[in-house]
Amino acid sequence: SAVISQKPSRDICQRGTSLTIQCQVDSQVTMMFWYRQQPGQSLTLIATANQGSEATYESGFVIDKFPISRPNLTFSTLTVSNMSPEDSSIYLCSVRGGLTGELFFGEGSRLTVL
Amino acid sequence: AQSVAQPEDQVNVAEGNPLTVKCTYSVSGNPYLFWYVQYPNRGLQFLLKYITGDNLVKGSYGFEAEFNKSQTSFHLKKPSALVSDSALYFCAVRDRDSGYALNFGKGTSLLVTP
């Protein structure tokens, strides 16, 4: 299994600001996934980030709001732009663990927007 | 389209008793099925997966799950619950012919009482 580190682990942000979440993996991975977990809710896929190509966003998520970078095979960032209280969530980075597709997750970044 | 349903928001069980957390799925093709556990303020931990073969899958911490194709179910079980098993449990599915991202159920909170 991969070891995934996310920064920050938590933050309190002001409305209208932007925050960038970093995800570092201890091994090279092709696919990285960003999920959102709103309070008391399940996980929702934001986008898939492959190195060397533009991220693929799920319905309801747009690049202007959630820009993603994937500069190499061990690192990715997710920015939450122009935040509102509705963006208060846990944001989770994950990577595929093997051919059969189980995902491994970071500890998550808990954002609270005031 | 692929989806999972976890019909119970919460499951309560006494320590030492068997536990079952229910999950049903819907995919257009053959499924890969997964269970994850989330402890408070933590990321998701992979428990077990069904890919093919034996319908009874054994995983971490004494958990197992039974794949039932006719009932499209993948219930999580443990013969003897521990207080430390109290957590949030997520079922997830991926269609073998689709992308690698997982679709998660809404989660079931398991409470094991002494």
Side-chain angles (χ1 to χ4, degrees):
Chain A
S1 66
V3 177
I4 305 167
S5 302
Q6 281 187 237
K7 293 180 181 179
S9 59
R10 59 178 63 230
D11 207 340
I12 299 173
C13 308
Q14 296 300 315
R15 180 195 298 261
T17 63
S18 299
L19 183 78
T20 296
I21 302 167
Q22 299 179 4
C23 178
Q24 180 74 51
V25 188
D26 69 342
S27 58
Q28 294 185 337
V29 293
T30 304
M31 288 184 172
M32 296 179 78
F33 305 92
W34 286 98
Y35 282 85
R36 181 176 73 181
Q37 185 179 20
Q38 293 178 299
Q41 302 295 317
S42 185
L43 282 76
T44 302
L45 180 66
I46 298 172
T48 301
N50 293 332
Q51 195 271 335
S53 63
E54 294 290 324
T56 302
Y57 289 83
E58 297 298 304
S59 176
F61 298 95
V62 295
I63 188 171
D64 290 346
K65 176 68 175 177
F66 297 100
I68 289 171
S69 76
R70 185 76 203 276
N72 57 52
L73 290 172
T74 64
F75 188 78
S76 178
T77 67
L78 169 76
T79 298
V80 186
S81 303
N82 188 24
M83 287 185 284
S84 67
E86 293 71 33
D87 295 319
S88 297
S89 297
I90 301 173
Y91 293 85
L92 295 134
C93 169
S94 67
V95 302
R96 187 162 64 95
L99 293 177
T100 49
E102 66 266 30
L103 300 185
F104 295 101
F105 286 84
E107 292 289 302
S109 298
R110 182 183 295 268
L111 302 187
T112 301
V113 184
L114 303 177
Chain B
Q2 51 192 1
S3 64
V4 291
Q6 294 181 244
E8 303 153 318
D9 290 335
Q10 181 160 322
V11 170
N12 298 319
V13 64
E15 187 174 31
N17 284 357
L19 69 86
T20 298
V21 183
K22 295 180 180 177
C23 171
T24 59
Y25 67 91
S26 174
V27 298
S28 55
N30 292 312
Y32 288 159
L33 293 157
F34 307 85
W35 275 101
Y36 287 82
V37 60
Q38 185 178 36
Y39 297 100
N41 300 311
R42 302 294 300 276
L44 271 70
Q45 296 181 29
F46 170 70
L47 277 179
L48 52 79
K49 65 185 176 185
Y50 171 80
I51 304 303
T52 188
D54 196 347
N55 288 342
L56 185 63
V57 178
K58 295 187 182 297
S60 305
Y61 311 122
F63 284 94
E64 58 189 27
E66 185 169 12
F67 172 66
N68 187 317
K69 187 173 183 177
S70 63
Q71 297 184 5
T72 62
S73 67
F74 189 56
H75 300 332
L76 181 70
K77 300 180 180 183
K78 187 173 183 180
S80 179
L82 300 172
V83 172
S84 57
D85 292 330
S86 298
L88 191 57
Y89 290 82
F90 290 97
C91 182
V93 67
R94 173 169 86 81
D95 188 320
R96 296 184 189 193
D97 300 321
S98 70
Y100 286 98
L102 301 184
N103 277 358
F104 287 83
K106 64 182 176 70
T108 298
S109 178
L110 173 66
L111 179 62
V112 181
T113 53

